Amino acid sequence: MTEQSFSAGLGTGLGAALTPSAGHWQQRCFRAMNTAVEVVAYHDGEDVTAAIEALFHQAEQRMSRFLPDSELSRLNAADAPQTVSPDLFAVIETALWAAQQTGGLYDPTILADLEAAGYDRSFEYVVTRNGFSWSAPADAPGAAGRRRTSYADIMLDRNAGVVVKPAGVRLDLGGIGKGWTVDRAAERLLGAAAFLVNAGGDLYAYGRPGHPRGWRITIEHPLRRTHWIARLYIDHAGLATSTTMKRRWTVDGQHRHHLIDPRTGQPAITDALSVTVVAPRTVTAELLAKVALLLGADAGLAYLTATDGVEGLIYTTDGRVLTTPGLASVLDAVEPAGIAD
């Protein structure tokens, strides 16, 4: 996902006229879940950002596939039914629901395909590894066809908090876990007059700091990291961007990226370079951005337009910016060629 910048940084547009006089801005930046996280909140009490940092680190310990002792890693390694924490259970339940709703275009059980494509370790190590090779995991699809098991074979016992999955089936909760955690952070910050939680481009914005339309968000150009292609204002909403241009690497001269198409088990081939979605929840925006990207520019735009409560923007391989009709209410500027920050 592309990093989203926002112009309402401390001291640059957080106008007192639109925030209560009693209070002060708090800001915290840290790394968690393999990305940069920034929390900004206008609050009249003690520091509320420290608890958000702790929340993200706890989520990483539960959901990271790169930590061998994480709760998710232990679940992936197990063949027998496992009792998991309420938080991990909630994320898995959300992931399986999303897979059902999208007909498998989102599939949390594609971990073997990710590893087979080369994303078998934390991304900073993927891009620095040269001339590497590896054996396909046991649950990777063979030359004869796709996997014999999928998300549909996982069963959940909500009362007992138990996950039952076939032997060898493993979960990747990277994107959905990050969006889910941003939403949990937003719930904890609702006592603040205004706040923004930005986890590597998966963000939630609340309040109107310095502008009557909300937080000003700039969407990074997928081909020019120092430029942006659109600017919009959001309040009480989540936003996420999915792109094939950020987490990329090369294997035997072939470009790969981290967005796997579950229909093929390979990095997606699509004419949508990036998709940004605004939705009531960040996790919803993250999921729908990924699905629209996999569908391609025209089908993805139609899908987002037909989905209630969400709006989207798609940047295509031929340099067009496509938007859903309802995005006009929050859109401030668009420039396909890119505008320097």
Side-chain angles (χ1 to χ4, degrees):
M1 307 217 170
T2 56
E3 300 284 346
Q4 306 297 331
S5 62
F6 56 94
S7 60
L10 293 180
T12 57
L14 296 174
L18 293 175
T19 52
S21 58
H24 60 281
W25 284 103
Q26 303 171 6
Q27 184 175 31
R28 183 176 295 262
C29 302
F30 55 92
R31 286 196 65 83
M33 307 182 84
N34 202 31
T35 196
V37 182
E38 184 164 14
V39 182
V40 183
Y42 192 89
H43 195 260
D44 60 0
E46 62 184 17
D47 181 15
V48 295
T49 64
I52 303 305
E53 180 174 2
L55 172 70
F56 270 90
H57 289 311
Q58 290 166 2
E60 184 173 30
Q61 284 294 325
R62 296 195 189 284
M63 301 181 225
S64 175
R65 67 180 175 95
F66 303 118
L67 298 176
D69 61 342
S70 74
E71 191 177 2
L72 178 63
S73 292
R74 296 196 301 270
L75 173 65
N76 280 338
D79 292 335
Q82 294 292 303
T83 301
V84 300
S85 67
D87 283 350
L88 183 59
F89 189 93
V91 177
I92 294 173
E93 187 174 44
T94 302
L96 296 181
W97 175 86
Q100 294 169 353
Q101 292 294 306
T102 62
L105 271 179
Y106 167 76
D107 186 346
T109 65
I110 58 166
L111 179 51
D113 296 318
L114 272 171
E115 292 175 339
Y119 199 179
D120 61 343
R121 60 198 67 192
S122 189
F123 187 69
E124 63 268 27
Y125 300 113
V126 172
V127 295
T128 57
R129 177 175 50 183
N130 296 315
F132 58 91
S133 62
W134 60 92
S135 300
D139 56 340
R146 300 288 298 125
R147 293 169 289 139
R148 291 188 295 271
T149 55
S150 73
Y151 68 89
D153 299 298
I154 298 176
M155 295 182 292
L156 303 179
D157 183 337
R158 180 182 292 180
N159 292 331
V162 171
V163 179
V164 182
K165 63 181 184 63
V169 171
R170 294 176 297 140
L171 295 162
D172 171 47
L173 300 174
I176 193 171
K178 187 169 60 171
W180 185 90
T181 305
V182 170
D183 287 335
R184 301 291 77 71
E187 290 174 356
R188 293 195 181 187
L189 289 170
L190 282 177
F195 64 83
L196 184 139
V197 181
N198 181 6
D202 284 7
L203 61 86
Y204 192 93
Y206 179 86
R208 300 176 181 181
H211 197 284
R213 298 175 68 186
W215 290 84
R216 186 173 70 172
I217 309 295
T218 58
I219 301 173
E220 183 182 279
H221 199 291
L223 300 177
R224 308 171 72 183
R225 295 291 299 275
T226 59
H227 289 60
W228 53 269
I229 56 171
R231 185 173 61 214
L232 46 83
Y233 288 92
I234 61 174
D235 172 19
H236 208 164
L239 179 146
T241 296
S242 187
T243 178
T244 62
M245 300 305 297
K246 187 177 182 183
R247 295 185 185 271
R248 295 176 67 88
W249 62 95
T250 302
V251 179
D252 296 331
Q254 295 184 340
H255 293 298
R256 307 285 181 89
H257 60 79
H258 75 296
L259 291 171
I260 299 295
D261 189 333
R263 297 168 295 188
T264 66
Q266 300 295 320
I269 299 174
T270 173
D271 62 349
L273 283 186
S274 71
V275 178
T276 296
V277 172
V278 179
R281 291 187 175 272
T282 308
V283 70
T284 304
E286 198 280 336
L287 289 165
L288 295 182
K290 184 175 296 182
V291 170
L293 186 140
L294 293 177
L295 287 171
D298 292 335
L301 184 68
Y303 177 78
L304 293 177
T305 301
T307 303
D308 293 337
V310 306
E311 302 297 341
L313 178 149
I314 299 176
Y315 186 85
T316 69
T317 53
D318 57 358
R320 293 175 295 142
V321 175
L322 310 177
T323 61
T324 57
L327 194 70
S329 64
V330 299
L331 198 59
D332 181 60
V334 175
E335 179 50 64
I339 302 175
D341 288 331

